[in-house]
Amino acid sequence: VEFSIAVLSGDGIGPEVTAEGVKALEAVGRAFGHTFNLEYGDVGGISIDKHGTPLTTEVRELAGAADAVLFGAVGGPKWDDPSATVRPEDGLLQLRSHLGVFANIRPVKVYPNLVESSVLKPEVLEGVDMVVVRELTGGLYYAEPKGRHQTPQGWTGVDTMRYSEGEIERVLRVGFELARGRRKKLASIDKANVLECSRLWRQIATRLGEEYPDVELEHVLVDACAMQLIQRPAHFDVIVAENTFGDILTDEAAVLSASMGLLPSASLADVPIEGRRIPGFAPDIAGQGIANPVASTLSVALMLRYSLGLTEEAASVERSVEMALDAGHRTPDIAVEGTHRVSTTEMGDLIANAIAP
């Protein structure tokens, strides 16, 4: 079977880890007889430097025409000037909006042999296996009015949180459906004690819960959720949150798995998935060959499963990752005494070489 894949590696460690994800994808092609036609494009800071914009029309069209998109990461200190008129992250937001990818899925699983690499106590991490669903195209990151203006009292910055009933319902349905196929527990995250958007969110979650009587629905305030993620993370099965809350909580959840480099990510537009994001541009370690490519590789597995419908192939990638970790191979971010420290490309080779039907 033949597929077209847009590869947008981005900035920082994006090109390094995406290259290892591509390596795994090509290994899948050889093992299972598929052809993946890869087309590359610039996005984020590198696109600003080359083209003056974080997302060109050509790359937008490339992504829209592809069967799936492999997205690296964008941003870095070079482009962090608060007064800049264009920012790398604008390219990511524009791409999400263009593709209509409204729900980000991030599985958070603690591998037993990586417990010692986490900063948390082993007993806290026992049984952690959750999925965080984050709304991607609404809320503070997109709603208008937005901007800064000068007043007699000084500058004022404005961001608007706005959600429609339809936007909330569709992402909550993703969470309910995922929970139905897992442990049948859904935690709906809001700030209903303060925010009107959250009160609407909770109201819709409650109504949808009646359609899913087999799923245990729990309403959790976002600050309480942030605390519980560290205190008793195994309590959670599926978490659904709006854009800003989900952005923060998914990064916090990386602490559970020991490294951002272990958390894959997939972004859905209805179904199937049209794109995905690898977390963390990590400019401080770019180019040193020490970045962890596991998240990128596992994101390829999510792409195979959801975007392309290749379930067996996705499982083979996931098995290969587990084999490499079980054998004691570690990039520096998760290495501990007694493990074998490897580089980014070495870890990528170990995983790709183990992929088989």
Side-chain angles (χ1 to χ4, degrees), residues 78-96:
K78 180 179 180 181
W79 305 280
D80 273 352
D81 182 359
S83 64
T85 56
V86 291
R87 302 177 63 84
E89 293 78 8
D90 295 339
L92 176 59
L93 296 179
Q94 291 171 30
L95 192 62
R96 286 176 183 164

Side-chain angles (χ1 to χ4, degrees), residues 219-302:
H219 302 289
V220 186
L221 294 175
V222 63
D223 40 354
C225 181
M227 181 173 62
Q228 292 174 26
L229 270 177
I230 300 301
Q231 289 182 331
R232 51 177 192 143
H235 166 77
F236 294 107
D237 179 23
V238 177
I239 293 174
V240 185
E242 67 83 42
N243 208 340
T244 306
F245 297 163
D247 193 1
I248 296 167
L249 292 175
T250 50
D251 281 6
E252 182 190 9
V255 175
L256 304 174
S257 67
S259 171
M260 282 287 283
L262 295 171
L263 290 191
S265 160
S267 303
L268 288 75
D270 296 322
V271 173
I273 291 172
E274 296 287 353
R276 66 108 180 131
R277 183 173 68 93
I278 301 170
F281 54 84
D284 54 324
I285 62 171
Q288 299 180 38
I290 61 175
N292 192 333
V294 167
S296 176
T297 306
L298 289 176
S299 292
V300 166
L302 292 179

Side-chain angles (χ1 to χ4, degrees), residues 43-44 54-55 60 71 74 87-102 134-144 146 159 243-244 247 277:
V43 68
L55 182 69
R60 183 185 292 109
F71 194 99
V74 295
R87 302 177 63 84
E89 293 78 8
D90 295 339
L92 176 59
L93 296 179
Q94 291 171 30
L95 192 62
R96 286 176 183 164
S97 179
H98 176 65
L99 295 176
V101 287
F102 68 87
R134 168 191 169 194
E135 200 287 325
L136 271 186
T137 56
L140 285 171
Y141 295 179
Y142 286 93
E144 300 288 345
K146 178 188 296 290
D159 290 288
N243 208 340
T244 306
D247 193 1
R277 183 173 68 93

Side-chain angles (χ1 to χ4, degrees), residues 2-298:
E2 194 166 335
F3 300 97
S4 63
I5 311 295
V7 182
L8 311 180
S9 300
D11 310 313
I13 63 170
E16 296 174 65
V17 295
T18 302
E20 302 311 310
V22 167
K23 190 182 292 181
L25 186 64
E26 292 175 334
V28 166
R30 292 190 297 271
F32 291 87
H34 301 305
T35 299
F36 298 103
N37 297 316
L38 308 178
E39 292 191 68
Y40 290 79
D42 296 323
V43 68
I46 188 172
S47 182
I48 291 174
D49 291 348
K50 287 185 177 181
H51 312 291
T53 177
L55 182 69
T56 64
T57 301
E58 292 75 17
V59 171
R60 183 185 292 109
E61 292 175 352
L62 169 67
D67 292 315
V69 179
L70 287 180
F71 194 99
V74 295
K78 180 179 180 181
W79 305 280
D80 273 352
D81 182 359
S83 64
T85 56
V86 291
R87 302 177 63 84
E89 293 78 8
D90 295 339
L92 176 59
L93 296 179
Q94 291 171 30
L95 192 62
R96 286 176 183 164
S97 179
H98 176 65
L99 295 176
V101 287
F102 68 87
N104 178 260
I105 294 180
R106 184 168 293 180
V108 181
K109 180 179 179 180
V110 176
Y111 295 98
N113 53 17
L114 289 180
V115 167
E116 297 301 325
S117 298
S118 176
V119 297
L120 299 182
K121 296 177 180 178
E123 56 266 30
V124 173
L125 297 173
E126 186 176 348
V128 171
D129 184 359
M130 74 181 80
V131 175
V132 183
V133 181
R134 168 191 169 194
E135 200 287 325
L136 271 186
T137 56
L140 285 171
Y141 295 179
Y142 286 93
E144 300 288 345
K146 178 188 296 290
R148 286 184 288 176
H149 59 273
Q150 198 165 19
T151 72
Q153 291 75 37
W155 284 93
T156 297
V158 176
D159 290 288
T160 302
M161 178 181 281
R162 177 181 291 114
Y163 273 106
S164 68
E165 181 177 358
E167 288 173 317
I168 297 171
E169 179 173 331
R170 67 181 182 178
V171 74
L172 281 167
R173 282 196 183 276
V174 172
F176 274 108
E177 291 291 338
L178 282 172
R180 177 169 272 177
R182 291 172 51 88
R183 303 202 315 269
K184 295 180 171 55
K185 293 176 60 178
L186 178 70
S188 174
I189 310 305
D190 60 42
K191 190 64 177 171
N193 57 337
V194 176
L195 300 176
E196 200 60 47
C197 275
S198 282
R199 295 184 187 112
L200 177 62
W201 182 287
R202 182 171 292 202
Q203 178 183 335
I204 295 169
T206 301
R207 173 170 56 80
L208 282 180
E210 297 174 358
E211 296 183 30
Y212 295 86
D214 54 325
V215 176
E216 179 187 342
L217 172 63
E218 177 185 20
H219 302 289
V220 186
L221 294 175
V222 63
D223 40 354
C225 181
M227 181 173 62
Q228 292 174 26
L229 270 177
I230 300 301
Q231 289 182 331
R232 51 177 192 143
H235 166 77
F236 294 107
D237 179 23
V238 177
I239 293 174
V240 185
E242 67 83 42
N243 208 340
T244 306
F245 297 163
D247 193 1
I248 296 167
L249 292 175
T250 50
D251 281 6
E252 182 190 9
V255 175
L256 304 174
S257 67
S259 171
M260 282 287 283
L262 295 171
L263 290 191
S265 160
S267 303
L268 288 75
D270 296 322
V271 173
I273 291 172
E274 296 287 353
R276 66 108 180 131
R277 183 173 68 93
I278 301 170
F281 54 84
D284 54 324
I285 62 171
Q288 299 180 38
I290 61 175
N292 192 333
V294 167
S296 176
T297 306
L298 289 176

